[in-house]
Amino acid sequence: MSNVAAALALAGIGPERTMVEIWADPAVMRNTHTIRVEAAAARFTMTIEGVPSEANPRTGQLTPLSVLACLRGLTATLKVG
């Protein structure tokens, strides 16, 4: 299970009921996550495409920003959300 799938499972219906498909397509230039939610009250689909880092294409431009946000969250006295 990927880290995205694990986070969604923990935030949602749990790892036992969360379904994951992993596809590898060498023609795709971005790390893409498509999240589909089907529930009694709502249904939605969201796609996220990570832009590779120019300095290191094996990681995304969002990765260092996520690390900084995590570090700020550890030291913040106020959290929103």
Side-chain angles (χ1 to χ4, degrees), residues 3 8 10 13 17-18 20 29 43 57 59 61 73 75-77 81:
N3 58 351
L8 289 170
L10 291 172
I13 60 176
R17 294 178 49 208
T18 300
V20 177
M29 300 304 294
R43 182 183 315 161
T59 192
Q61 291 183 13
T75 61
T77 56

Side-chain angles (χ1 to χ4, degrees), residues 12-45:
I13 60 176
E16 297 84 18
R17 294 178 49 208
T18 300
M19 295 176 18
V20 177
E21 289 183 22
I22 298 176
W23 295 24
D25 184 349
V28 174
M29 300 304 294
R30 294 184 177 183
N31 185 5
T32 304
H33 302 281
T34 300
I35 300 161
R36 290 188 181 91
V37 175
E38 294 191 24
R43 182 183 315 161
F44 68 88
T45 302

